[in-house]
Every structure is written in C-alpha cells, then in structure tokens.
Amino acid sequence: MPRGREDYGILGALTVSVLEICKEGLIASFAPLVVLNFVLPPFLDGFKLVGSTDSFELKGIGLIFLHMAVYAAVVVCLKVCALEKRRFRY
C-alpha cells in the first residue's frame, strides 16, 4: 500500500509505462480508447512504423518526434504549474 505522495508518483509512472506498452492492443479491442494516442507518450509508435519494413519514412519519424516534443513540453508545463501552486522555492 502507498504510504506517501512519492509512492503515488511511482505508481503513476508505472501505470503510464504499462499503458504505453499495451496501448495498441487496448485500442484494437476497444475503439474509444484511441484517446490514449494523445494522452500517452509515443514510445512504441516507432516500432509500429518500421515493424514490417527495412526503411524509415522521414514524415513518420518527424511526426513521432513532434508528438514527443509536444508531450514533453506539456509535462514540463504541468510540473512547473504544480510546483508554483505548492510555492516551491529554488
């Protein structure tokens, strides 16, 4: 059982990791979960892009990079807002 706030952070990170790994299967079995494509980071999208081919598509890799950059920027902004709300001092 979680005892402190740091434990919830670890559980959250594990949950996001497991959901990212299982995202494609979940979407295939239940279509409304396509929203996970926008909520979760695109870690395994590259495997789907080059899984059955030997070449890379620059457009596909660029879109995955853009998605990851936007995801990282949103996560950073959320962390900064949370720290400011709790009046974190440097």
Side-chain angles (χ1 to χ4, degrees):
M1 290 302 245
R3 295 183 184 162
R5 290 184 180 181
E6 62 276 354
D7 291 337
Y8 289 118
I10 293 169
L11 287 175
L14 286 173
T15 302
V16 168
S17 300
V18 169
L19 280 174
E20 175 55 37
I21 292 169
C22 301
K23 178 174 69 171
E24 294 301 322
L26 290 171
I27 292 171
S29 64
F30 189 62
L33 290 178
V34 74
V35 74
L36 291 176
N37 281 329
F38 302 105
V39 177
L40 297 173
F43 289 131
L44 297 179
D45 291 352
F47 291 125
K48 185 173 70 172
L49 181 67
V50 296
S52 61
T53 182
D54 292 334
S55 63
F56 293 96
E57 293 180 23
L58 187 58
K59 180 181 175 185
I61 298 295
L63 288 174
I64 291 172
F65 176 77
L66 181 64
H67 184 187
M68 185 58 117
V70 169
Y71 181 83
V74 169
V75 168
V76 166
C77 289
L78 289 174
K79 285 183 178 184
V80 167
C81 290
L83 289 172
E84 287 179 352
K85 183 178 178 183
R86 295 180 187 269
R87 300 184 193 275
F88 178 77
R89 298 287 180 213
Y90 301 106

